[in-house]
Amino acid sequence: MGFDKIERAFRNSGRFYLRAFDSLPSTNTYLFEQGKNGAPEWSVVIAEEQTAGKGRQQRRWESPGGKSILFSLLLRPQLETRYLNLINLFTALTLAQYLEARARVHSGTAPAISLKWPNDLFIRGKKLSGILLEASFAAERLDYLVIGIGLNVNQEPADFSDEIRPAATSLKLATGREWEREPLLAGFLDAFYESYPRFFPGNFASLVQRYKEKVLFLGEPISVDSGSRRIRGVFRDLTAEGYLVLEQNGRKRLITTGDVFGWEREG
Ligand code: BTN
């Protein structure tokens, strides 16, 4: 990706502290280290490829160069720890809304993008983007957080490994056209920057409400994998903190992390 091209595509210059690399092990790991050294809020690190891209739940994120957008953003919000998960919800919602709007402008129609709790973007049952949030604490308070985003842009099925091919999609596959990555990235960062103060530090109820309109499986039977355990129930609601309320035999149970599956995945 062209650094100058990204810079030129921002609505306003000077909002972000941008660094772009041809290759990094992981933009999250890099920026997390920079955070320890005092990197300012709105630092952004982009890599064309990652050699050790990280996914949620200790998984890896396939990150060959040329077809996707791989980047991390550092924030230093004054946020109570219990509301941290709302950053996941906000990021996923903002990215989905931005991509839908962009596709509508450029292709006339927009593929419906759904959210899978807490922060995956899906199109027609396949994963388009994943988000990895990493937080650093000082004296039990949130010090900074790094939001890492991997967005599949121009991949064809052959560009995905055998392992993820059946479950992965890209903007190109969903819209039938190539996407220029630099303006897409700059446009998302601008959208995030402008939308963020509308919800943080306090407008959480409306954030959760908007998220609920796009989330998959609400009101439906799901199973949740959290590390070693798989539990089943009905996805009843989200709490004010963005946690999932699972109902099992009439009892409500709070899920703070995990992978959600609809029941077609059972067996
Ligand atoms: C997931 O769905 O498991 C989350 C994937 C997050 C991937 C992105 S790519 C940029 C950033 N750097 C990483 O190492 N991971 C995140």
Side-chain angles (χ1 to χ4, degrees):
M1 283 216 279
F3 183 81
D4 291 346
K5 224 168 163 184
I6 302 169
E7 286 277 23
R8 278 198 304 274
F10 284 121
R11 236 193 307 274
N12 287 317
S13 60
R15 284 177 169 175
F16 301 99
Y17 304 91
L18 203 67
R19 292 201 66 181
F21 295 83
D22 290 336
S23 181
L24 274 182
S26 154
T27 56
N28 260 43
T29 305
Y30 180 89
L31 194 51
F32 200 83
E33 281 305 307
Q34 297 296 304
K36 277 187 207 155
N37 304 329
E41 184 157 63
W42 304 109
S43 294
V44 175
V45 170
I46 304 154
E48 185 61 75
E49 65 152 19
Q50 297 182 125
T51 52
K54 299 188 293 187
R56 291 178 63 239
Q57 318 268 36
Q58 265 71 55
R59 285 185 294 256
R60 66 189 185 90
W61 184 258
E62 289 185 10
S63 309
K67 305 271 171 110
S68 64
I69 299 180
L70 309 161
F71 68 103
S72 301
L73 164 68
L74 188 142
L75 294 176
R76 295 182 179 277
Q78 304 274 318
L79 192 64
E80 280 180 56
T81 308
R82 69 193 174 110
Y83 291 119
L84 200 50
N85 194 43
L86 292 177
I87 298 279
N88 275 321
L89 273 50
F90 170 75
T91 305
L93 178 67
T94 305
L95 183 58
Q97 289 177 334
Y98 168 72
L99 293 174
E100 281 181 349
R102 191 101 189 185
R104 207 172 295 121
V105 169
H106 290 275
S107 316
T109 58
I113 302 179
S114 305
L115 306 173
K116 188 161 80 73
W117 186 87
N119 58 9
D120 288 338
L121 273 64
F122 270 67
I123 297 182
R124 290 182 216 108
K126 295 189 172 193
K127 184 154 162 172
L128 176 73
S129 173
I131 296 167
L132 175 66
L133 188 68
E134 296 187 281
S136 176
F137 299 90
E140 289 178 32
R141 294 193 52 169
L142 178 63
D143 185 10
Y144 63 91
L145 51 88
V146 171
I147 307 168
I149 302 183
L151 172 64
N152 299 332
V153 182
N154 288 322
Q155 287 100 328
E156 303 277 355
D159 295 314
F160 296 116
S161 71
D162 292 350
E163 192 190 329
I164 70 163
R165 187 174 305 119
T169 191
S170 69
L171 274 185
K172 181 177 179 184
L173 288 170
T175 60
R177 63 176 283 259
E178 291 254 340
W179 287 83
E180 209 185 350
R181 292 175 297 154
E182 291 87 348
L184 205 57
L185 171 59
F188 166 69
L189 286 169
D190 275 334
F192 187 105
Y193 186 94
E194 286 162 19
S195 187
Y196 181 71
R198 285 188 215 135
F199 295 105
F200 294 94
N203 195 7
F204 300 154
S206 92
L207 168 61
V208 172
Q209 190 48 44
R210 280 162 208 233
Y211 180 93
K212 275 160 75 169
E213 289 162 16
K214 277 188 124 11
V215 76
L216 289 166
F217 310 128
L218 185 60
E220 297 175 23
I222 56 168
S223 57
V224 186
D225 276 2
S226 32
S228 52
R229 286 182 324 147
R230 167 171 281 211
I231 50 182
R232 295 180 188 195
V234 174
F235 180 176
R236 268 298 159 230
D237 204 357
L238 291 173
T239 65
E241 297 85 6
Y243 296 137
L244 190 152
V245 180
L246 190 76
E247 188 177 310
Q248 294 178 303
N249 308 320
R251 272 192 53 237
K252 288 191 174 144
R253 186 168 171 168
L254 202 60
I255 310 290
T256 57
T257 184
D259 281 322
V260 168
F261 300 99
W263 269 18
E264 71 279 3
R265 281 286 304 265
E266 294 300 294

